[in-house]
Amino acid sequence: MESVTGMLDRIGCGFLVLNREKKVLEWNTAAQSTFERQGDAAGTATELTAALRRLVANVQTNFLPGSLSWVVIRSTDDRPVVLNEGGVITPDGTSIVALLDRENRSSANPQTLQKMFGLTSAETQLAMRLAQGDAPLEIARSWRLSRTTIRSQLASLFAKTETKRQGELVALLGRISVLP
C-alpha cells in the first residue's frame, strides 16, 4: 500500500485510505487541498470521510476492500467520475481512493529540469510558465522582455529538451513533474 500511496503523492494526486467501513484512516495534503477547494472542511479523518461521502453522493460507486478507486473531480458544479480498479492492493481490507482534481496541476521541480537538460535559470522559468499554461507573448509582457528574447529562449528550450513544438514541451514537463 505504501508504494501506491507514495506514487500518488509523488504525482500530486490526492489519496484517502479507507477502512472496511469506508472511514478515512490516512490522507495526504493534496487530498485535503482538493476538498478545501470544493468548500469542505478537511482537517480531520471525520471531516474527510464526510467530504468524500458528499462528493460521491450522487454517483453510483462502491469502494471495495483491497481496491484502488479513482475519483476524477470534473468541477464544483458537475458530478465526479469514479473509476474502480480490480485486484487486491491491500491485504488488510483497506481501500485507496485517489482524487484527481482537474484544477490542480503539479509542476516540475526547477532544479530537476536544470540538471536533466542543462537549462539556464531564464529557460527554466520560461519552461515553468509554459507548463502553467501561459502564452509566450504573455510571459514577454509580464517580464518586460521582447518577443524576440522569449522566442530565442523558447528555441533554446526546444533544442535542449529535443522537442519541436510548445505542446510537446508542455507534455514532457508534465511527465517530468513526477520526479523529485
PDB file of all heavy atoms in Angstrom, residues 22-63:
ATOM      1  N   LYS A  22     -15.493   2.184   5.275  1.00  0.00           N
ATOM      2  CA  LYS A  22     -15.383   3.361   4.384  1.00  0.00           C
ATOM      3  C   LYS A  22     -15.080   4.647   5.138  1.00  0.00           C
ATOM      4  O   LYS A  22     -15.491   5.736   4.746  1.00  0.00           O
ATOM      5  CB  LYS A  22     -16.641   3.561   3.530  1.00  0.00           C
ATOM      6  CG  LYS A  22     -17.144   2.315   2.830  1.00  0.00           C
ATOM      7  CD  LYS A  22     -16.149   1.806   1.813  1.00  0.00           C
ATOM      8  CE  LYS A  22     -16.714   0.674   0.998  1.00  0.00           C
ATOM      9  NZ  LYS A  22     -16.476  -0.649   1.508  1.00  0.00           N
ATOM     10  N   LYS A  23     -14.371   4.525   6.269  1.00  0.00           N
ATOM     11  CA  LYS A  23     -13.941   5.692   7.029  1.00  0.00           C
ATOM     12  C   LYS A  23     -12.474   5.963   6.719  1.00  0.00           C
ATOM     13  O   LYS A  23     -11.671   5.044   6.577  1.00  0.00           O
ATOM     14  CB  LYS A  23     -14.142   5.475   8.523  1.00  0.00           C
ATOM     15  CG  LYS A  23     -15.613   5.404   8.893  1.00  0.00           C
ATOM     16  CD  LYS A  23     -15.811   5.244  10.371  1.00  0.00           C
ATOM     17  CE  LYS A  23     -17.306   5.161  10.664  1.00  0.00           C
ATOM     18  NZ  LYS A  23     -17.555   4.867  12.053  1.00  0.00           N
ATOM     19  N   VAL A  24     -12.120   7.239   6.621  1.00  0.00           N
ATOM     20  CA  VAL A  24     -10.761   7.634   6.256  1.00  0.00           C
ATOM     21  C   VAL A  24      -9.793   7.329   7.402  1.00  0.00           C
ATOM     22  O   VAL A  24     -10.028   7.711   8.549  1.00  0.00           O
ATOM     23  CB  VAL A  24     -10.708   9.133   5.896  1.00  0.00           C
ATOM     24  CG1 VAL A  24      -9.285   9.587   5.657  1.00  0.00           C
ATOM     25  CG2 VAL A  24     -11.585   9.416   4.671  1.00  0.00           C
ATOM     26  N   LEU A  25      -8.708   6.630   7.050  1.00  0.00           N
ATOM     27  CA  LEU A  25      -7.646   6.331   8.004  1.00  0.00           C
ATOM     28  C   LEU A  25      -6.423   7.214   7.779  1.00  0.00           C
ATOM     29  O   LEU A  25      -5.794   7.674   8.727  1.00  0.00           O
ATOM     30  CB  LEU A  25      -7.207   4.863   7.878  1.00  0.00           C
ATOM     31  CG  LEU A  25      -8.254   3.788   8.116  1.00  0.00           C
ATOM     32  CD1 LEU A  25      -7.680   2.420   7.777  1.00  0.00           C
ATOM     33  CD2 LEU A  25      -8.707   3.838   9.565  1.00  0.00           C
ATOM     34  N   GLU A  26      -6.068   7.411   6.507  1.00  0.00           N
ATOM     35  CA  GLU A  26      -4.897   8.197   6.123  1.00  0.00           C
ATOM     36  C   GLU A  26      -5.249   9.061   4.930  1.00  0.00           C
ATOM     37  O   GLU A  26      -6.160   8.746   4.168  1.00  0.00           O
ATOM     38  CB  GLU A  26      -3.738   7.277   5.692  1.00  0.00           C
ATOM     39  CG  GLU A  26      -3.110   6.459   6.760  1.00  0.00           C
ATOM     40  CD  GLU A  26      -1.999   5.580   6.178  1.00  0.00           C
ATOM     41  OE1 GLU A  26      -1.177   6.087   5.391  1.00  0.00           O
ATOM     42  OE2 GLU A  26      -1.990   4.389   6.511  1.00  0.00           O
ATOM     43  N   TRP A  27      -4.474  10.132   4.745  1.00  0.00           N
ATOM     44  CA  TRP A  27      -4.667  11.022   3.604  1.00  0.00           C
ATOM     45  C   TRP A  27      -3.396  11.826   3.399  1.00  0.00           C
ATOM     46  O   TRP A  27      -2.511  11.831   4.242  1.00  0.00           O
ATOM     47  CB  TRP A  27      -5.869  11.931   3.830  1.00  0.00           C
ATOM     48  CG  TRP A  27      -5.711  12.872   4.995  1.00  0.00           C
ATOM     49  CD1 TRP A  27      -5.192  14.136   4.972  1.00  0.00           C
ATOM     50  CD2 TRP A  27      -6.051  12.616   6.359  1.00  0.00           C
ATOM     51  NE1 TRP A  27      -5.202  14.681   6.228  1.00  0.00           N
ATOM     52  CE2 TRP A  27      -5.733  13.759   7.103  1.00  0.00           C
ATOM     53  CE3 TRP A  27      -6.610  11.526   7.031  1.00  0.00           C
ATOM     54  CZ2 TRP A  27      -5.938  13.867   8.475  1.00  0.00           C
ATOM     55  CZ3 TRP A  27      -6.817  11.628   8.391  1.00  0.00           C
ATOM     56  CH2 TRP A  27      -6.483  12.779   9.096  1.00  0.00           C
ATOM     57  N   ASN A  28      -3.330  12.517   2.274  1.00  0.00           N
ATOM     58  CA  ASN A  28      -2.196  13.402   2.027  1.00  0.00           C
ATOM     59  C   ASN A  28      -2.693  14.838   1.886  1.00  0.00           C
ATOM     60  O   ASN A  28      -3.894  15.095   1.855  1.00  0.00           O
ATOM     61  CB  ASN A  28      -1.379  12.949   0.808  1.00  0.00           C
ATOM     62  CG  ASN A  28      -2.139  13.046  -0.492  1.00  0.00           C
ATOM     63  OD1 ASN A  28      -3.322  13.337  -0.533  1.00  0.00           O
ATOM     64  ND2 ASN A  28      -1.442  12.773  -1.577  1.00  0.00           N
ATOM     65  N   THR A  29      -1.754  15.768   1.809  1.00  0.00           N
ATOM     66  CA  THR A  29      -2.123  17.179   1.732  1.00  0.00           C
ATOM     67  C   THR A  29      -2.862  17.504   0.438  1.00  0.00           C
ATOM     68  O   THR A  29      -3.709  18.389   0.425  1.00  0.00           O
ATOM     69  CB  THR A  29      -0.889  18.095   1.877  1.00  0.00           C
ATOM     70  OG1 THR A  29       0.063  17.734   0.892  1.00  0.00           O
ATOM     71  CG2 THR A  29      -0.280  17.981   3.255  1.00  0.00           C
ATOM     72  N   ALA A  30      -2.553  16.790  -0.643  1.00  0.00           N
ATOM     73  CA  ALA A  30      -3.263  17.038  -1.907  1.00  0.00           C
ATOM     74  C   ALA A  30      -4.748  16.704  -1.762  1.00  0.00           C
ATOM     75  O   ALA A  30      -5.604  17.404  -2.313  1.00  0.00           O
ATOM     76  CB  ALA A  30      -2.640  16.231  -3.039  1.00  0.00           C
ATOM     77  N   ALA A  31      -5.084  15.661  -1.016  1.00  0.00           N
ATOM     78  CA  ALA A  31      -6.493  15.320  -0.775  1.00  0.00           C
ATOM     79  C   ALA A  31      -7.166  16.413   0.048  1.00  0.00           C
ATOM     80  O   ALA A  31      -8.282  16.848  -0.266  1.00  0.00           O
ATOM     81  CB  ALA A  31      -6.608  13.976  -0.067  1.00  0.00           C
ATOM     82  N   GLN A  32      -6.478  16.870   1.088  1.00  0.00           N
ATOM     83  CA  GLN A  32      -7.018  17.961   1.907  1.00  0.00           C
ATOM     84  C   GLN A  32      -7.291  19.190   1.051  1.00  0.00           C
ATOM     85  O   GLN A  32      -8.365  19.782   1.124  1.00  0.00           O
ATOM     86  CB  GLN A  32      -6.026  18.341   3.007  1.00  0.00           C
ATOM     87  CG  GLN A  32      -6.194  17.566   4.276  1.00  0.00           C
ATOM     88  CD  GLN A  32      -5.261  18.094   5.336  1.00  0.00           C
ATOM     89  OE1 GLN A  32      -4.065  17.872   5.287  1.00  0.00           O
ATOM     90  NE2 GLN A  32      -5.821  18.788   6.298  1.00  0.00           N
ATOM     91  N   SER A  33      -6.316  19.562   0.242  1.00  0.00           N
ATOM     92  CA  SER A  33      -6.451  20.751  -0.610  1.00  0.00           C
ATOM     93  C   SER A  33      -7.596  20.597  -1.594  1.00  0.00           C
ATOM     94  O   SER A  33      -8.336  21.557  -1.856  1.00  0.00           O
ATOM     95  CB  SER A  33      -5.153  21.002  -1.381  1.00  0.00           C
ATOM     96  OG  SER A  33      -4.106  21.255  -0.495  1.00  0.00           O
ATOM     97  N   THR A  34      -7.745  19.407  -2.155  1.00  0.00           N
ATOM     98  CA  THR A  34      -8.824  19.154  -3.113  1.00  0.00           C
ATOM     99  C   THR A  34     -10.179  19.399  -2.468  1.00  0.00           C
ATOM    100  O   THR A  34     -11.031  20.085  -3.026  1.00  0.00           O
ATOM    101  CB  THR A  34      -8.743  17.717  -3.652  1.00  0.00           C
ATOM    102  OG1 THR A  34      -7.505  17.569  -4.347  1.00  0.00           O
ATOM    103  CG2 THR A  34      -9.896  17.391  -4.583  1.00  0.00           C
ATOM    104  N   PHE A  35     -10.385  18.863  -1.272  1.00  0.00           N
ATOM    105  CA  PHE A  35     -11.670  19.048  -0.605  1.00  0.00           C
ATOM    106  C   PHE A  35     -11.869  20.491  -0.157  1.00  0.00           C
ATOM    107  O   PHE A  35     -12.986  21.017  -0.217  1.00  0.00           O
ATOM    108  CB  PHE A  35     -11.827  18.078   0.562  1.00  0.00           C
ATOM    109  CG  PHE A  35     -12.165  16.690   0.121  1.00  0.00           C
ATOM    110  CD1 PHE A  35     -11.289  15.644   0.335  1.00  0.00           C
ATOM    111  CD2 PHE A  35     -13.358  16.424  -0.538  1.00  0.00           C
ATOM    112  CE1 PHE A  35     -11.602  14.368  -0.091  1.00  0.00           C
ATOM    113  CE2 PHE A  35     -13.676  15.151  -0.966  1.00  0.00           C
ATOM    114  CZ  PHE A  35     -12.795  14.114  -0.740  1.00  0.00           C
ATOM    115  N   GLU A  36     -10.800  21.137   0.276  1.00  0.00           N
ATOM    116  CA  GLU A  36     -10.923  22.536   0.683  1.00  0.00           C
ATOM    117  C   GLU A  36     -11.304  23.415  -0.505  1.00  0.00           C
ATOM    118  O   GLU A  36     -12.100  24.340  -0.357  1.00  0.00           O
ATOM    119  CB  GLU A  36      -9.627  23.003   1.343  1.00  0.00           C
ATOM    120  CG  GLU A  36      -9.453  22.400   2.724  1.00  0.00           C
ATOM    121  CD  GLU A  36      -8.073  22.580   3.322  1.00  0.00           C
ATOM    122  OE1 GLU A  36      -7.162  23.117   2.639  1.00  0.00           O
ATOM    123  OE2 GLU A  36      -7.897  22.168   4.484  1.00  0.00           O
ATOM    124  N   ARG A  37     -10.762  23.111  -1.703  1.00  0.00           N
ATOM    125  CA  ARG A  37     -11.154  23.859  -2.900  1.00  0.00           C
ATOM    126  C   ARG A  37     -12.627  23.626  -3.243  1.00  0.00           C
ATOM    127  O   ARG A  37     -13.263  24.459  -3.865  1.00  0.00           O
ATOM    128  CB  ARG A  37     -10.276  23.472  -4.102  1.00  0.00           C
ATOM    129  CG  ARG A  37      -8.989  24.250  -4.170  1.00  0.00           C
ATOM    130  CD  ARG A  37      -8.280  24.052  -5.496  1.00  0.00           C
ATOM    131  NE  ARG A  37      -7.922  22.682  -5.793  1.00  0.00           N
ATOM    132  CZ  ARG A  37      -6.882  22.033  -5.270  1.00  0.00           C
ATOM    133  NH1 ARG A  37      -6.093  22.636  -4.421  1.00  0.00           N
ATOM    134  NH2 ARG A  37      -6.618  20.797  -5.605  1.00  0.00           N
ATOM    135  N   GLN A  38     -13.151  22.481  -2.844  1.00  0.00           N
ATOM    136  CA  GLN A  38     -14.566  22.174  -3.074  1.00  0.00           C
ATOM    137  C   GLN A  38     -15.459  22.816  -2.008  1.00  0.00           C
ATOM    138  O   GLN A  38     -16.676  22.700  -2.056  1.00  0.00           O
ATOM    139  CB  GLN A  38     -14.787  20.652  -3.063  1.00  0.00           C
ATOM    140  CG  GLN A  38     -14.063  19.893  -4.144  1.00  0.00           C
ATOM    141  CD  GLN A  38     -14.725  20.066  -5.489  1.00  0.00           C
ATOM    142  OE1 GLN A  38     -15.933  20.040  -5.611  1.00  0.00           O
ATOM    143  NE2 GLN A  38     -13.920  20.256  -6.514  1.00  0.00           N
ATOM    144  N   GLY A  39     -14.831  23.457  -1.001  1.00  0.00           N
ATOM    145  CA  GLY A  39     -15.588  24.125   0.048  1.00  0.00           C
ATOM    146  C   GLY A  39     -15.851  23.276   1.268  1.00  0.00           C
ATOM    147  O   GLY A  39     -16.683  23.634   2.109  1.00  0.00           O
ATOM    148  N   ASP A  40     -15.157  22.155   1.395  1.00  0.00           N
ATOM    149  CA  ASP A  40     -15.355  21.269   2.540  1.00  0.00           C
ATOM    150  C   ASP A  40     -14.261  21.458   3.581  1.00  0.00           C
ATOM    151  O   ASP A  40     -13.111  21.738   3.247  1.00  0.00           O
ATOM    152  CB  ASP A  40     -15.314  19.794   2.093  1.00  0.00           C
ATOM    153  CG  ASP A  40     -16.583  19.358   1.404  1.00  0.00           C
ATOM    154  OD1 ASP A  40     -17.655  19.536   1.997  1.00  0.00           O
ATOM    155  OD2 ASP A  40     -16.494  18.834   0.274  1.00  0.00           O
ATOM    156  N   ALA A  41     -14.623  21.268   4.852  1.00  0.00           N
ATOM    157  CA  ALA A  41     -13.628  21.203   5.921  1.00  0.00           C
ATOM    158  C   ALA A  41     -12.908  19.874   5.761  1.00  0.00           C
ATOM    159  O   ALA A  41     -13.535  18.846   5.490  1.00  0.00           O
ATOM    160  CB  ALA A  41     -14.312  21.276   7.279  1.00  0.00           C
ATOM    161  N   ALA A  42     -11.582  19.881   5.880  1.00  0.00           N
ATOM    162  CA  ALA A  42     -10.835  18.658   5.599  1.00  0.00           C
ATOM    163  C   ALA A  42      -9.618  18.495   6.511  1.00  0.00           C
ATOM    164  O   ALA A  42      -8.587  18.010   6.089  1.00  0.00           O
ATOM    165  CB  ALA A  42     -10.399  18.666   4.135  1.00  0.00           C
ATOM    166  N   GLY A  43      -9.749  18.879   7.769  1.00  0.00           N
ATOM    167  CA  GLY A  43      -8.612  18.807   8.673  1.00  0.00           C
ATOM    168  C   GLY A  43      -8.506  17.513   9.459  1.00  0.00           C
ATOM    169  O   GLY A  43      -7.444  17.196   9.978  1.00  0.00           O
ATOM    170  N   THR A  44      -9.604  16.765   9.545  1.00  0.00           N
ATOM    171  CA  THR A  44      -9.593  15.537  10.341  1.00  0.00           C
ATOM    172  C   THR A  44     -10.126  14.372   9.503  1.00  0.00           C
ATOM    173  O   THR A  44     -10.752  14.569   8.461  1.00  0.00           O
ATOM    174  CB  THR A  44     -10.493  15.678  11.590  1.00  0.00           C
ATOM    175  OG1 THR A  44     -11.860  15.795  11.162  1.00  0.00           O
ATOM    176  CG2 THR A  44     -10.098  16.880  12.437  1.00  0.00           C
ATOM    177  N   ALA A  45      -9.912  13.165  10.020  1.00  0.00           N
ATOM    178  CA  ALA A  45     -10.402  11.970   9.331  1.00  0.00           C
ATOM    179  C   ALA A  45     -11.927  12.003   9.222  1.00  0.00           C
ATOM    180  O   ALA A  45     -12.488  11.636   8.192  1.00  0.00           O
ATOM    181  CB  ALA A  45      -9.942  10.717  10.072  1.00  0.00           C
ATOM    182  N   THR A  46     -12.599  12.466  10.256  1.00  0.00           N
ATOM    183  CA  THR A  46     -14.067  12.545  10.247  1.00  0.00           C
ATOM    184  C   THR A  46     -14.549  13.534   9.184  1.00  0.00           C
ATOM    185  O   THR A  46     -15.492  13.247   8.442  1.00  0.00           O
ATOM    186  CB  THR A  46     -14.592  12.969  11.642  1.00  0.00           C
ATOM    187  OG1 THR A  46     -14.112  12.019  12.601  1.00  0.00           O
ATOM    188  CG2 THR A  46     -16.102  13.027  11.674  1.00  0.00           C
ATOM    189  N   GLU A  47     -13.896  14.696   9.103  1.00  0.00           N
ATOM    190  CA  GLU A  47     -14.281  15.689   8.102  1.00  0.00           C
ATOM    191  C   GLU A  47     -14.022  15.177   6.686  1.00  0.00           C
ATOM    192  O   GLU A  47     -14.837  15.388   5.785  1.00  0.00           O
ATOM    193  CB  GLU A  47     -13.514  16.996   8.324  1.00  0.00           C
ATOM    194  CG  GLU A  47     -13.936  17.739   9.566  1.00  0.00           C
ATOM    195  CD  GLU A  47     -13.060  18.932   9.892  1.00  0.00           C
ATOM    196  OE1 GLU A  47     -11.907  19.007   9.405  1.00  0.00           O
ATOM    197  OE2 GLU A  47     -13.528  19.803  10.658  1.00  0.00           O
ATOM    198  N   LEU A  48     -12.905  14.480   6.494  1.00  0.00           N
ATOM    199  CA  LEU A  48     -12.589  13.935   5.174  1.00  0.00           C
ATOM    200  C   LEU A  48     -13.560  12.830   4.782  1.00  0.00           C
ATOM    201  O   LEU A  48     -13.957  12.729   3.619  1.00  0.00           O
ATOM    202  CB  LEU A  48     -11.147  13.431   5.136  1.00  0.00           C
ATOM    203  CG  LEU A  48     -10.099  14.536   5.067  1.00  0.00           C
ATOM    204  CD1 LEU A  48      -8.735  14.004   5.452  1.00  0.00           C
ATOM    205  CD2 LEU A  48     -10.054  15.146   3.687  1.00  0.00           C
ATOM    206  N   THR A  49     -13.953  12.002   5.739  1.00  0.00           N
ATOM    207  CA  THR A  49     -14.942  10.947   5.471  1.00  0.00           C
ATOM    208  C   THR A  49     -16.254  11.578   5.008  1.00  0.00           C
ATOM    209  O   THR A  49     -16.848  11.155   4.012  1.00  0.00           O
ATOM    210  CB  THR A  49     -15.168  10.077   6.723  1.00  0.00           C
ATOM    211  OG1 THR A  49     -13.922   9.459   7.091  1.00  0.00           O
ATOM    212  CG2 THR A  49     -16.218   9.010   6.483  1.00  0.00           C
ATOM    213  N   ALA A  50     -16.682  12.614   5.713  1.00  0.00           N
ATOM    214  CA  ALA A  50     -17.933  13.299   5.348  1.00  0.00           C
ATOM    215  C   ALA A  50     -17.792  13.978   3.981  1.00  0.00           C
ATOM    216  O   ALA A  50     -18.715  13.929   3.165  1.00  0.00           O
ATOM    217  CB  ALA A  50     -18.299  14.318   6.424  1.00  0.00           C
ATOM    218  N   ALA A  51     -16.649  14.591   3.717  1.00  0.00           N
ATOM    219  CA  ALA A  51     -16.433  15.269   2.435  1.00  0.00           C
ATOM    220  C   ALA A  51     -16.460  14.272   1.280  1.00  0.00           C
ATOM    221  O   ALA A  51     -17.040  14.550   0.228  1.00  0.00           O
ATOM    222  CB  ALA A  51     -15.109  16.021   2.461  1.00  0.00           C
ATOM    223  N   LEU A  52     -15.845  13.114   1.462  1.00  0.00           N
ATOM    224  CA  LEU A  52     -15.858  12.083   0.423  1.00  0.00           C
ATOM    225  C   LEU A  52     -17.284  11.613   0.168  1.00  0.00           C
ATOM    226  O   LEU A  52     -17.690  11.460  -0.983  1.00  0.00           O
ATOM    227  CB  LEU A  52     -14.957  10.903   0.806  1.00  0.00           C
ATOM    228  CG  LEU A  52     -14.952   9.737  -0.178  1.00  0.00           C
ATOM    229  CD1 LEU A  52     -14.384  10.168  -1.537  1.00  0.00           C
ATOM    230  CD2 LEU A  52     -14.150   8.564   0.389  1.00  0.00           C
ATOM    231  N   ARG A  53     -18.034  11.397   1.224  1.00  0.00           N
ATOM    232  CA  ARG A  53     -19.431  10.959   1.059  1.00  0.00           C
ATOM    233  C   ARG A  53     -20.248  11.989   0.292  1.00  0.00           C
ATOM    234  O   ARG A  53     -21.062  11.646  -0.565  1.00  0.00           O
ATOM    235  CB  ARG A  53     -20.056  10.666   2.419  1.00  0.00           C
ATOM    236  CG  ARG A  53     -19.520   9.389   3.016  1.00  0.00           C
ATOM    237  CD  ARG A  53     -20.181   9.029   4.304  1.00  0.00           C
ATOM    238  NE  ARG A  53     -19.608   7.784   4.791  1.00  0.00           N
ATOM    239  CZ  ARG A  53     -19.486   7.471   6.057  1.00  0.00           C
ATOM    240  NH1 ARG A  53     -19.923   8.289   6.995  1.00  0.00           N
ATOM    241  NH2 ARG A  53     -18.952   6.324   6.413  1.00  0.00           N
ATOM    242  N   ARG A  54     -20.036  13.270   0.598  1.00  0.00           N
ATOM    243  CA  ARG A  54     -20.761  14.324  -0.131  1.00  0.00           C
ATOM    244  C   ARG A  54     -20.338  14.352  -1.595  1.00  0.00           C
ATOM    245  O   ARG A  54     -21.167  14.538  -2.481  1.00  0.00           O
ATOM    246  CB  ARG A  54     -20.515  15.691   0.515  1.00  0.00           C
ATOM    247  CG  ARG A  54     -21.336  15.942   1.751  1.00  0.00           C
ATOM    248  CD  ARG A  54     -21.252  17.382   2.231  1.00  0.00           C
ATOM    249  NE  ARG A  54     -19.923  17.775   2.675  1.00  0.00           N
ATOM    250  CZ  ARG A  54     -19.432  17.550   3.894  1.00  0.00           C
ATOM    251  NH1 ARG A  54     -20.193  16.946   4.810  1.00  0.00           N
ATOM    252  NH2 ARG A  54     -18.219  17.937   4.220  1.00  0.00           N
ATOM    253  N   LEU A  55     -19.047  14.165  -1.838  1.00  0.00           N
ATOM    254  CA  LEU A  55     -18.537  14.210  -3.205  1.00  0.00           C
ATOM    255  C   LEU A  55     -19.177  13.145  -4.084  1.00  0.00           C
ATOM    256  O   LEU A  55     -19.551  13.399  -5.214  1.00  0.00           O
ATOM    257  CB  LEU A  55     -17.012  14.046  -3.210  1.00  0.00           C
ATOM    258  CG  LEU A  55     -16.339  14.016  -4.578  1.00  0.00           C
ATOM    259  CD1 LEU A  55     -16.458  15.380  -5.262  1.00  0.00           C
ATOM    260  CD2 LEU A  55     -14.883  13.626  -4.440  1.00  0.00           C
ATOM    261  N   VAL A  56     -19.307  11.929  -3.553  1.00  0.00           N
ATOM    262  CA  VAL A  56     -19.802  10.813  -4.366  1.00  0.00           C
ATOM    263  C   VAL A  56     -21.269  10.487  -4.090  1.00  0.00           C
ATOM    264  O   VAL A  56     -21.767   9.464  -4.540  1.00  0.00           O
ATOM    265  CB  VAL A  56     -18.918   9.550  -4.186  1.00  0.00           C
ATOM    266  CG1 VAL A  56     -17.507   9.816  -4.657  1.00  0.00           C
ATOM    267  CG2 VAL A  56     -18.939   9.052  -2.755  1.00  0.00           C
ATOM    268  N   ALA A  57     -21.970  11.378  -3.398  1.00  0.00           N
ATOM    269  CA  ALA A  57     -23.365  11.110  -3.015  1.00  0.00           C
ATOM    270  C   ALA A  57     -24.261  10.804  -4.199  1.00  0.00           C
ATOM    271  O   ALA A  57     -25.152   9.962  -4.106  1.00  0.00           O
ATOM    272  CB  ALA A  57     -23.925  12.293  -2.225  1.00  0.00           C
ATOM    273  N   ASN A  58     -24.067  11.464  -5.313  1.00  0.00           N
ATOM    274  CA  ASN A  58     -24.954  11.278  -6.465  1.00  0.00           C
ATOM    275  C   ASN A  58     -24.353  10.390  -7.541  1.00  0.00           C
ATOM    276  O   ASN A  58     -24.816  10.401  -8.677  1.00  0.00           O
ATOM    277  CB  ASN A  58     -25.300  12.649  -7.068  1.00  0.00           C
ATOM    278  CG  ASN A  58     -26.037  13.516  -6.088  1.00  0.00           C
ATOM    279  OD1 ASN A  58     -26.901  13.036  -5.361  1.00  0.00           O
ATOM    280  ND2 ASN A  58     -25.685  14.785  -6.035  1.00  0.00           N
ATOM    281  N   VAL A  59     -23.324   9.662  -7.181  1.00  0.00           N
ATOM    282  CA  VAL A  59     -22.650   8.798  -8.140  1.00  0.00           C
ATOM    283  C   VAL A  59     -22.719   7.370  -7.626  1.00  0.00           C
ATOM    284  O   VAL A  59     -22.453   7.114  -6.459  1.00  0.00           O
ATOM    285  CB  VAL A  59     -21.155   9.209  -8.302  1.00  0.00           C
ATOM    286  CG1 VAL A  59     -20.444   8.299  -9.272  1.00  0.00           C
ATOM    287  CG2 VAL A  59     -21.047  10.657  -8.737  1.00  0.00           C
ATOM    288  N   GLN A  60     -23.085   6.457  -8.512  1.00  0.00           N
ATOM    289  CA  GLN A  60     -23.108   5.061  -8.111  1.00  0.00           C
ATOM    290  C   GLN A  60     -21.686   4.550  -7.998  1.00  0.00           C
ATOM    291  O   GLN A  60     -20.935   4.530  -8.974  1.00  0.00           O
ATOM    292  CB  GLN A  60     -23.846   4.235  -9.154  1.00  0.00           C
ATOM    293  CG  GLN A  60     -25.060   3.586  -8.602  1.00  0.00           C
ATOM    294  CD  GLN A  60     -25.703   2.685  -9.642  1.00  0.00           C
ATOM    295  OE1 GLN A  60     -25.272   2.587 -10.778  1.00  0.00           O
ATOM    296  NE2 GLN A  60     -26.747   2.016  -9.234  1.00  0.00           N
ATOM    297  N   THR A  61     -21.289   4.188  -6.796  1.00  0.00           N
ATOM    298  CA  THR A  61     -19.934   3.689  -6.595  1.00  0.00           C
ATOM    299  C   THR A  61     -19.884   2.745  -5.412  1.00  0.00           C
ATOM    300  O   THR A  61     -20.747   2.779  -4.544  1.00  0.00           O
ATOM    301  CB  THR A  61     -18.942   4.854  -6.371  1.00  0.00           C
ATOM    302  OG1 THR A  61     -17.627   4.318  -6.316  1.00  0.00           O
ATOM    303  CG2 THR A  61     -19.211   5.583  -5.073  1.00  0.00           C
ATOM    304  N   ASN A  62     -18.872   1.919  -5.408  1.00  0.00           N
ATOM    305  CA  ASN A  62     -18.639   1.012  -4.308  1.00  0.00           C
ATOM    306  C   ASN A  62     -17.133   0.873  -4.131  1.00  0.00           C
ATOM    307  O   ASN A  62     -16.463   0.331  -5.002  1.00  0.00           O
ATOM    308  CB  ASN A  62     -19.287  -0.348  -4.591  1.00  0.00           C
ATOM    309  CG  ASN A  62     -19.244  -1.245  -3.372  1.00  0.00           C
ATOM    310  OD1 ASN A  62     -18.959  -0.804  -2.268  1.00  0.00           O
ATOM    311  ND2 ASN A  62     -19.537  -2.508  -3.574  1.00  0.00           N
ATOM    312  N   PHE A  63     -16.610   1.417  -3.043  1.00  0.00           N
ATOM    313  CA  PHE A  63     -15.188   1.302  -2.765  1.00  0.00           C
ATOM    314  C   PHE A  63     -14.949  -0.050  -2.092  1.00  0.00           C
ATOM    315  O   PHE A  63     -15.211  -0.232  -0.912  1.00  0.00           O
ATOM    316  CB  PHE A  63     -14.709   2.443  -1.866  1.00  0.00           C
ATOM    317  CG  PHE A  63     -14.926   3.805  -2.467  1.00  0.00           C
ATOM    318  CD1 PHE A  63     -15.556   4.801  -1.750  1.00  0.00           C
ATOM    319  CD2 PHE A  63     -14.490   4.100  -3.749  1.00  0.00           C
ATOM    320  CE1 PHE A  63     -15.750   6.061  -2.292  1.00  0.00           C
ATOM    321  CE2 PHE A  63     -14.681   5.352  -4.311  1.00  0.00           C
ATOM    322  CZ  PHE A  63     -15.314   6.336  -3.575  1.00  0.00           C
TER     323      PHE A  63
END
